[in-house]
Amino acid sequence: MKRCSGEALTARKQPRQARARLTVDAIFEATIQVLLSEGLSALTTTRVAERAGVSVGSLYQYFPQKQALLFALLQRHLEAVADAVSTICTRCLGMSLGDMSDALVKGFLDAKTQDIATTRALYMVAAELDTDELLGIIAQRNHAAIRTLLLSAKDATFDRPDAVAFTLRATLAGATRAVLERGATPGDLTALQQELPLLCRAYLVARSNPL
Amino acid sequence: MKRCSGEALTARKQPRQARARLTVDAIFEATIQVLLSEGLSALTTTRVAERAGVSVGSLYQYFPQKQALLFALLQRHLEAVADAVSTICTRCLGMSLGDMSDALVKGFLDAKTQDIATTRALYMVAAELDTDELLGIIAQRNHAAIRTLLLSAKDATFDRPDAVAFTLRATLAGATRAVLERGATPGDLTALQQELPLLCRAYLVARSNPL
DNA sequence: ACCTGAACACCGTTCAAGT
DNA sequence: ACCTGAACACCGTTCAAGT
């Protein structure tokens, strides 16, 4: 078996014909289905191909390794969440600190909990991958958006905007993961939705200077 | 190959002779070494046994599946951290809210960052396992310790101690993970050590009633 | 009581052959 | 341009044979 060289996690080639695009879509869909119904340890390239109704060879035509398939899936999800964060941050420019904090927390939480099953599946998947670079890029995007947002607050200034944006991002992502990762009861989710806004508001107020 | 039944993650049998104890220790040590030097995807029972200087058969005498080995490793680490939290919480009973918050954050962070490489390795490992039950037990222990600590504060009372303990625990574990999981620079770690106490203090103050 | 290592079923990945 | 599936090296796990 070829050992992973750490690169080549991107798709091998783009589908050019309609037939090929159908194949790729079917593979994505099958991957999520197998992941949710059978679990990570049963996630086999053979099984994915079988469920997608194509041969293993076809799968490897588009994803050079099993990891590339999982990587593409994770990337899609992280970028969707980053887009949501970015949109919120743009929309809330110039608001009061409290309002932008609440909107950010709610927006992030909504994006992550829109499809909890998939989110959980992707938490599992991430460990099998070399995600340092991808997570770094996503973190940078979110950091920049949050930093700009904070600096635009109409009723406060920040001495160390980078440290605050860093902490806010790690806290949002981390606390959400800690709750969703294992079987979160509806009560756990409610608690998160109630407490996380309070947590972030209190921190931002403590870490800023009122105008 | 036998499919995992979801049970039987505990060690198959205890070593009874000194020779056997040496074998088990060597297996543990070898597992961490392989994990750190070769990565998760190269973590093979054959390779672990080889590095430990025993045969695969011996490994399977003590760990019925590869997962059981990883499970034991994770359990050891989580219990060490829970012990640290428990100790701090006992020592800080009756203190002021600010003091106990600072001590708790510092104690948790110290326990998690004592051996960052191992902590990171175990973050990877966790996804290959069915950790729901273990994480639940650890979470319960930490929750109870933190809840008791909060209620003992000499200068504050809490209306919803469970919600606050829940959030504090998820935030500590989550934010720390978010920072350590990928290549954390020394600067990231410093930022975490500076900001996390401020975050937790601000939240606890906002969520309690002064006396 | 403990250890060994060949043997088996299964998995990731490739590639010659097809349309 | 895309698809197929037999073939290969490797992995998890077992078990008969040893001390």
Side-chain angles (χ1 to χ4, degrees), chain B residues 1 16-17 23 55 57-58 62:
Chain B
M1 197 191 309
R16 310 184 90 77
Q17 294 180 3
T23 300
S55 74
S58 287
Y62 299 101

Side-chain angles (χ1 to χ4, degrees), chain A:
Chain A
M1 196 190 308
K2 200 175 60 179
R3 280 278 142 242
C4 177
S5 66
E7 311 296 327
L9 277 176
T10 46
R12 172 171 280 171
K13 73 178 196 184
Q14 297 300 321
R16 308 184 90 77
Q17 295 179 2
R19 175 176 55 148
R21 225 182 321 270
L22 283 181
T23 300
V24 170
D25 285 346
I27 290 172
F28 271 129
E29 186 53 39
T31 304
I32 292 188
Q33 280 184 27
V34 172
L35 218 38
L36 293 179
S37 65
E38 323 258 346
L40 181 64
S41 64
L43 188 82
T44 300
T45 47
T46 318
R47 234 176 295 240
V48 169
E50 192 180 10
R51 173 95 64 134
V54 302
S55 76
V56 231
S58 287
L59 190 156
Y60 277 91
Q61 207 167 5
Y62 299 100
F63 304 99
Q65 320 157 37
K66 179 184 164 183
Q67 298 190 341
L69 172 59
L70 303 181
F71 192 88
L73 224 51
L74 181 63
Q75 187 167 27
R76 220 170 48 157
H77 176 253
L78 290 179
E79 280 175 354
V81 174
D83 286 346
V85 167
S86 179
T87 302
I88 300 263
C89 286
T90 304
R91 180 157 47 219
C92 294
L93 284 175
M95 284 187 179
S96 71
L97 193 58
D99 286 348
M100 60 175 54
S101 175
D102 288 351
L104 178 62
V105 174
K106 185 179 181 335
F108 180 83
L109 233 40
D110 283 351
K112 274 288 183 191
T113 56
Q114 186 144 5
D115 182 355
I116 295 189
T118 301
T119 300
R120 288 195 69 195
L122 288 173
Y123 282 143
M124 300 194 296
V125 151
E128 291 225 313
L129 270 37
D130 188 7
T131 54
D132 278 17
E133 193 187 340
L134 175 61
L135 290 184
I137 292 172
I138 297 290
Q140 234 169 15
R141 275 190 57 184
N142 287 336
H143 180 94
I146 293 175
R147 188 196 134 97
T148 304
L149 177 68
L150 293 179
L151 288 177
S152 80
K154 71 175 177 194
D155 57 350
T157 62
F158 287 87
D159 295 330
R160 308 204 45 219
D162 281 309
V164 177
F166 169 85
T167 306
L168 204 58
R169 189 182 50 69
T171 300
L172 281 174
T176 304
R177 173 172 194 158
V179 171
L180 293 188
E181 188 169 40
R182 58 195 205 86
T185 65
D188 288 343
L189 190 54
T190 306
L192 191 68
Q193 284 164 339
Q194 286 184 347
E195 298 299 322
L196 210 46
L198 298 174
L199 175 77
C200 292
R201 262 184 106 122
Y203 173 63
L204 288 178
V205 168
R207 215 62 184 79
S208 63
N209 320 298
L211 280 189

Side-chain angles (χ1 to χ4, degrees), chain B residues 56-173:
Chain B
V56 232
S58 287
L59 191 157
Y60 278 90
Q61 208 169 4
Y62 299 101
F63 303 100
Q65 318 159 38
K66 179 183 162 183
Q67 298 190 342
L69 172 60
L70 303 182
F71 193 87
L73 224 50
L74 181 63
Q75 187 166 28
R76 219 170 50 156
H77 176 254
L78 290 179
E79 281 174 353
V81 174
D83 286 347
V85 167
S86 180
T87 301
I88 301 263
C89 286
T90 304
R91 179 156 47 217
C92 294
L93 283 175
M95 284 187 179
S96 71
L97 193 58
D99 286 348
M100 62 175 51
S101 175
D102 288 350
L104 178 62
V105 174
K106 185 179 182 336
F108 180 83
L109 233 41
D110 282 351
K112 274 288 183 191
T113 57
Q114 185 143 6
D115 182 353
I116 296 189
T118 302
T119 301
R120 286 194 72 195
L122 289 173
Y123 283 143
M124 300 194 296
V125 151
E128 291 225 314
L129 270 35
D130 187 7
T131 53
D132 279 17
E133 191 186 342
L134 175 61
L135 290 184
I137 290 172
I138 296 290
Q140 236 170 12
R141 274 190 58 184
N142 288 336
H143 180 94
I146 294 175
R147 188 196 133 97
T148 303
L149 176 68
L150 293 179
L151 288 177
S152 80
K154 71 176 178 194
D155 57 350
T157 62
F158 287 87
D159 294 330
R160 307 204 47 219
D162 281 308
V164 177
F166 169 86
T167 306
L168 204 59
R169 190 184 50 69
T171 300
L172 282 174

